[in-house]
Amino acid sequence: MPGGTSPQYVPGYFETRLSPNANRTAVWQHICRYLEQRRLLPPDADVLELGAGWCDFANNVRARSVVAMDIDATVQRAAAPHVRAVTGDCTDLSRFAEGSFDVVFASNLLEHLERPTATRLLAECHRVLRPGGRLILLQPNFRLAPGRYFDDFTHVAIYTDTSLADYLTSEGWRVRTVVARFLPLTMKSRASGLAFLVPWYLRSPIKPLAGQMLVVADR
């Protein structure tokens, strides 16, 4: 988890904000199927997940190859057998050659990074993506949940659906999809046990408790 101008591990973060949750797998299976059905995740893609944590996305996405990267070593034990786990700073992707991936995915990552660090991360994502490659960001939307946004003690940056889209455009990305109301702000609630409702929630124009946005941009 980040701090200052470069990402740093924050002791206790996984125990407080990312504690194990048996319901997350089912939720992420539905999220991955949603993205696949809308052709945002090609089945023959080489995929990199940044800030992978428990590898909820990496373990459930259907792709040709999947790499999960996180600064916390949890990623090593959480990754499924078919996922390559990498422990390291997600703003330094020098271990990957230019044009290595078709999709870079990050969930709840940018808000942990101060602006110079986030800009460096976006530049690295642009470098490792192939021409026409895709960046998929799932982020807290400050506009929807200002009162709860800083319940996570490692949040240092504010984004809304408008500001994030504009930021990506200013960094040379072509924004193709913005869903301002995508998911609830957090899965740390009893509602996370209702994973069977996730497909309905993703399709419904009515989204109670929405606090997360989806922003997709092409290289």
Side-chain angles (χ1 to χ4, degrees):
M1 287 299 135
T5 58
S6 62
Q8 300 174 9
Y9 173 69
V10 176
Y13 185 81
F14 272 66
E15 291 74 18
T16 58
R17 302 299 303 178
L18 274 178
S19 56
N21 184 333
N23 299 311
R24 277 206 304 260
T25 295
V27 171
W28 277 98
Q29 287 174 344
H30 290 307
I31 294 172
C32 289
R33 300 300 84 80
Y34 174 92
L35 296 174
E36 292 162 1
Q37 290 164 8
R38 279 148 185 79
R39 300 185 178 181
L40 297 174
L41 280 170
D44 60 346
D46 295 313
V47 176
L48 170 64
E49 181 182 11
L50 298 178
W54 292 106
C55 298
D56 297 304
F57 171 83
N59 288 347
N60 290 291
V61 65
R62 297 167 180 165
R64 178 167 52 201
S65 69
V66 184
V67 176
M69 186 174 187
D70 198 284
I71 200 168
D72 189 289
T74 297
V75 71
Q76 297 289 341
R77 67 175 187 271
H82 69 280
V83 175
R84 175 188 169 194
V86 176
T87 303
D89 177 355
C90 62
T91 68
D92 177 9
L93 305 181
S94 58
R95 72 187 70 206
F96 305 118
E98 182 176 338
S100 295
F101 300 99
D102 301 293
V103 175
V104 173
F105 176 89
S107 172
N108 294 263
L109 177 61
L110 288 186
E111 73 275 15
H112 298 277
L113 306 177
E114 300 205 15
R115 185 56 53 84
T117 310
T119 297
R120 188 164 66 247
L121 178 144
L122 292 176
E124 280 289 87
C125 290
H126 197 278
R127 184 185 64 79
V128 301
L129 279 171
R130 297 177 180 125
R134 184 159 298 152
L135 177 66
I136 303 177
L137 299 175
L138 182 58
Q139 288 282 141
N141 189 339
F142 183 81
R143 181 169 64 83
L144 301 181
R148 294 183 293 152
Y149 193 88
F150 288 104
D151 285 352
D152 187 322
F153 66 95
T154 64
H155 284 187
V156 297
I158 290 175
Y159 293 100
T160 68
D161 47 298
T162 299
S163 68
L164 181 54
D166 287 350
Y167 178 33
L168 291 172
T169 300
S170 75
E171 292 297 324
W173 297 86
R174 293 180 290 116
V175 177
R176 60 171 290 161
T177 301
V178 177
V179 182
R181 304 173 68 89
F182 188 64
L183 285 170
L185 181 65
T186 177
M187 296 180 191
K188 289 183 63 176
S189 69
R190 294 177 181 176
S192 65
L194 304 177
F196 65 93
L197 293 176
V198 173
W200 168 85
Y201 190 94
L202 291 172
R203 294 192 304 267
S204 174
I206 303 172
K207 289 185 164 59
L209 304 178
Q212 295 265 354
M213 57 183 162
L214 174 72
V215 178
V216 181
D218 290 342
R219 182 186 186 277

